Amino acid sequence: MAAAVRCRLFGLVDVGDAALWRRAPCSLHVGCRKKSTQYLNRPNLPKLAYKRTKGRNPGVLFLPGFASTMKADKALALEEFCKSLGHSFVRFDYTGCGESGGNFSECTIGQWKKDVLSLLDELTEGPQILVGSSLGGWLMLLAAIARPERVVALVGIATGADYLVTAFRQLPLETKKEIEEKDEWYLPNKQKEAGFYKIPYSFIKEAENHCVLHSTIPITCPVRLIHGMEDEHIPWQISLKVAENLLGSDVDLILRKQGQHRMAEKDDVKLIVYTIDDLIDKLSTLA
């Protein structure tokens, strides 16, 4: 049985800039120095675009959300923070996204899981902290299950475990049949007015093979799940379900009362950075 979950509820969090950045010369403003994009070439697979900051371990690997890229504000802020601490950091684009190769419409959860594992295996060494945003939170769980010897902590931001599959199953029967026949699901993009994602039915069927919420999640490393209670895209209850299903006992669920899905406001980013900083201290003490 999974251990009890510690839950913290935050309104406006003031962690104190001086304390938060006690080891950091940079502020939350990003873009101190532009890094050139590099590419990971893989036999018979699309090349992956990435940017890497070398440093000591534990390193941090950032996993973007659905259809997002490594240029997200959270990724840039975490890069500057890790650079200021001297810890390694990697951000990247999934296959079919951003500057990486491949066709987005042909991608699957399994393909993107392979992308994460390729980055872990080829570009990082030693213990790593995975930070997953939205769909990246689902992928971080899959990667931690596949590489338990490498992944020493997880930070989920609006974790979207199983979300697309769950959302599809909640549709009316007639709608599901229509999507199956046309092999197209027009999922509203609540981040943009009048926008939508065109998702093949085959994507949903493949994603069912990677669902994690149906049973205990065999992850025992420290896990921190941060979720906004005003998230209109992925309900915060999904993070609660993840926390309940995790096998490990060192699990915190942190709820932002006024937090939105992107968790990109200044105080949101401060909380994310503070959480990672705390994990680095914790892991360094245990080493």
Side-chain angles (χ1 to χ4, degrees):
M1 181 179 295
V5 178
R6 295 187 296 276
C7 178
R8 289 179 279 168
L9 179 62
F10 281 82
L12 178 63
V13 178
D14 181 7
V15 295
D17 287 353
L20 177 61
W21 299 98
R22 62 188 182 279
R23 294 174 291 178
C26 284
S27 69
L28 283 173
H29 297 291
V30 297
C32 296
R33 182 182 64 184
K34 291 185 177 180
K35 296 175 66 65
S36 60
T37 301
Q38 296 176 282
Y39 294 91
L40 176 63
N41 293 309
R42 303 175 296 172
N44 304 316
L45 290 173
K47 64 181 181 180
L48 294 179
Y50 71 91
K51 295 191 178 184
R52 176 173 56 178
T53 299
K54 294 184 178 180
R56 62 179 180 273
N57 290 327
V60 177
L61 173 61
F62 181 80
L63 284 59
F66 184 76
S68 185
T69 72
M70 62 178 167
K71 295 180 180 179
D73 290 344
K74 293 187 293 291
L76 298 176
L78 294 181
E79 179 180 72
E80 289 303 320
F81 175 67
C82 288
K83 184 190 303 181
S84 71
L85 294 184
H87 283 260
S88 66
F89 180 83
V90 176
R91 53 187 172 99
F92 72 103
D93 290 334
Y94 301 118
T95 296
C97 299
E99 301 177 62
S100 288
N103 189 334
F104 180 81
S105 64
E106 298 174 356
C107 292
T108 63
I109 294 296
Q111 174 65 65
W112 289 333
K113 173 186 172 182
K114 287 182 181 178
D115 292 350
V116 178
L117 296 180
S118 293
L119 269 292
L120 263 175
D121 295 342
E122 302 296 330
L123 297 182
T124 71
E125 297 180 355
Q128 298 293 310
I129 299 173
L130 303 191
V131 181
S133 177
S134 191
L135 177 114
W138 184 0
L139 294 171
M140 79 175 184
L141 296 171
L142 296 175
I145 293 171
R147 299 287 189 275
E149 73 284 357
R150 297 291 316 285
V151 179
V152 294
L154 299 176
V155 178
I157 306 164
T159 299
D162 300 8
Y163 176 66
L164 291 171
V165 175
T166 302
F168 176 81
R169 289 174 176 172
Q170 292 173 345
L171 294 173
L173 181 59
E174 292 184 0
T175 303
K176 289 190 286 188
K177 287 183 177 180
E178 182 180 353
I179 291 171
E180 183 176 354
E181 291 173 358
K182 295 182 178 180
D183 194 31
E184 291 179 347
W185 179 24
Y186 290 90
L187 178 68
N189 179 1
K190 297 180 181 179
Q191 302 300 310
K192 296 181 180 180
E193 293 184 7
F196 59 86
Y197 296 116
K198 183 179 178 181
I199 302 176
Y201 175 68
S202 55
F203 178 98
I204 300 299
K205 294 302 295 180
E206 194 277 341
E208 291 177 346
N209 300 320
H210 305 285
C211 289
V212 296
L213 296 182
H214 55 277
S215 61
T216 299
I217 303 173
I219 293 174
T220 58
C221 66
V223 179
R224 305 292 179 261
L225 301 168
I226 305 171
H227 215 126
M229 296 181 74
E230 293 188 6
D231 189 333
E232 295 183 353
H233 188 58
I234 298 177
W236 62 264
Q237 288 85 353
I238 290 183
S239 284
L240 175 60
K241 182 64 174 176
V242 170
E244 291 174 339
N245 283 25
L246 285 165
L247 180 62
S249 59
D250 190 356
V251 180
D252 282 356
L253 172 59
I254 305 169
L255 300 178
R256 289 279 289 163
K257 187 174 181 179
Q258 297 181 336
Q260 304 290 325
H261 177 67
R262 293 183 62 208
M263 294 291 292
E265 297 298 324
K266 182 177 180 180
D267 286 303
D268 296 332
V269 176
K270 280 185 179 182
L271 176 58
I272 295 166
V273 170
Y274 175 81
T275 301
I276 296 171
D277 187 37
D278 184 61
L279 279 171
I280 289 176
D281 279 345
K282 180 184 182 71
L283 294 169
S284 299
T285 301
L286 295 176

